[in-house]
């Protein structure tokens, strides 16, 4: 009976149209996994200047509360920092094949070396922030927006970013396959398009991030994405593109 119950949860959480389209590659949706679900994500991102890595965990304390933590670094210099993230879903309105969810989040990060805008984009940052997420799902498509504020400070003993930042995003996800869901073992195909922004007193970075996602056995997902620069007036040298590859697995109690 217990295995059958968790099979149902698997279908609802990942494979079915309830919120499979909300598993965005670069942004968090307002929805959470079922209580007690632990997931582990490992990914790399890179450009012609080099490659960075990040390992992240997520744990749903309750259907409303989720905690996450990560460690980031690059392959040349090793671990560069880590942080914690807490999300609270405070509003939901559900209907047949649609729902609206709102959530608030807070995060804190620590870096072991100098930070700049390029390091921030690859997950090595020092400071704290908070913001709001709104996600609306209808049929096979989900749209989501995130806006917040982040206070960057220089890491102790190192130089780096010091000031107020405004990260924001807009994401769309669409379930392409299967057209008709019959088994939790079916492979799912989701397509995503995200706009990722970072504002500061001295400039703005805006990226487009199309992505393909495959979900296997309703418990493992693989993401392939590219982030393309649309605008960038922030100080420092950065490339016009970043490639991302990630693998994530869900552990159910």
């Amino acid at each position: 009976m217990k295995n059958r119950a968790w099979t149902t949860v698997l279908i609802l959480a990942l494979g079915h149209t309830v919120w499979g389209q909300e598993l965005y590659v670069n942004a968090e949706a307002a929805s959470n996994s079922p209580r007690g679900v632990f997931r582990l994500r490992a990914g790399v991102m890179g450009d012609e200047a080099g490659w960075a890595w990040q390992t992240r965990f997520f744990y749903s304390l309750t259907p409303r509360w989720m905690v996450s933590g990560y460690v980031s670094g690059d392959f040349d210099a090793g671990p560069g920092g880590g942080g914690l993230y807490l999300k609270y879903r405070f509003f939901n309105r559900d209907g047949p094949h649609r729902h609206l969810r709102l959530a608030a989040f807070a995060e804190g990060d620590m870096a072991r070396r100098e930070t700049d805008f390029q390091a921030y984009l690859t997950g090595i940052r020092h400071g704290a922030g908070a913001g709001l997420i709104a996600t609306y799902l209808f049929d096979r498509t989900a749209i989501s927006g995130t806006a917040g504020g982040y206070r960057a400070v220089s890491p102790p003993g190192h130089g780096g970013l010091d000031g107020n930042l405004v990260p924001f995003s807009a994401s769309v996800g669409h379930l392409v396959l299967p057209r008709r869901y019959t088994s939790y073992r079916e492979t799912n195909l989701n397509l995503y398009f995200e706009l990722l922004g970072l504002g500061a007193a001295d400039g703005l970075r805006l990226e487009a991030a199309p992505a393909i996602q495959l979900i296997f056995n309703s418990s493992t997902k693989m993401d392939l994405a590219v982030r393309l620069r649309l605008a960038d007036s922030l100080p420092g040298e950065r490339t016009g593109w970043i490639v991302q590859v990630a693998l994530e697995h869900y552990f159910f109690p």
Side-chain angles (χ1 to χ4, degrees):
M1 179 65 69
K2 183 177 180 180
N3 290 338
R4 182 179 301 175
W6 274 107
T7 295
T8 302
V9 171
L10 283 166
I11 295 173
L12 293 177
L14 290 175
H16 195 42
T17 57
V18 173
W19 61 278
Q21 309 90 306
E22 298 179 32
L23 303 176
Y24 303 112
V25 177
N26 292 286
E28 270 290 316
S31 300
N32 285 332
S33 300
R35 180 173 61 87
V37 173
F38 176 86
R39 53 189 171 113
L40 184 65
R41 179 181 180 88
V44 297
M45 63 175 64
D47 52 30
E48 65 262 32
W51 287 81
W53 55 266
Q54 184 178 91
T55 300
R56 190 173 196 118
F57 77 86
F58 304 81
Y59 183 74
S60 293
L61 301 167
T62 72
R64 291 185 177 271
W65 287 96
M66 185 201 76
V67 63
S68 173
Y70 76 92
V71 176
S72 293
D74 59 58
F75 292 99
D76 294 328
L84 290 174
Y85 175 98
L86 185 66
K87 182 175 67 173
Y88 174 65
R89 177 176 59 82
F90 61 85
F91 176 87
N92 65 279
R93 178 174 293 172
D94 294 349
H97 301 289
R98 63 182 62 232
H99 62 234
L100 173 65
R101 308 243 167 112
L102 304 178
F105 68 88
E107 58 185 327
D109 307 280
M110 297 182 65
R112 298 176 60 245
R113 58 175 183 260
E114 183 176 348
T115 58
D116 56 17
F117 286 111
Q118 180 68 21
Y120 184 97
L121 293 171
T122 57
I124 299 173
R125 57 193 70 163
H126 196 84
L132 297 173
I133 309 170
T135 304
Y136 180 63
L137 179 142
F138 54 98
D139 196 19
R140 303 173 73 87
T141 302
I143 58 175
S144 187
T146 301
Y150 191 92
R151 175 64 182 180
V153 296
S154 300
H158 300 278
L161 289 180
D162 197 329
N164 296 321
L165 306 177
V166 182
F168 60 93
S169 66
S171 305
V172 179
H174 183 73
L175 174 64
V176 178
L177 295 173
R179 298 300 301 174
R180 181 183 178 186
Y181 198 85
T182 59
S183 169
Y184 72 90
R185 294 186 180 276
E186 290 181 316
T187 298
N188 285 25
L189 172 63
N190 292 315
L191 297 181
Y192 295 97
F193 183 81
E194 298 181 84
L195 289 174
L196 310 173
L198 178 65
D202 45 4
L204 171 73
R205 167 93 174 194
L206 183 64
E207 299 174 328
I212 297 174
Q213 181 183 85
L214 294 172
I215 301 176
F216 308 99
N217 293 324
S218 294
S219 60
T220 302
K221 68 186 184 79
M222 182 175 65
D223 299 328
L224 176 61
V226 59
R227 289 164 57 170
L228 304 170
R229 179 177 60 186
L230 299 180
D232 190 1
S233 57
L234 295 174
E237 294 293 330
R238 280 172 305 283
T239 57
W241 55 269
I242 298 174
V243 173
Q244 297 175 281
V245 181
L247 191 66
E248 186 171 321
H249 186 72
Y250 284 64
F251 299 88
F252 293 86

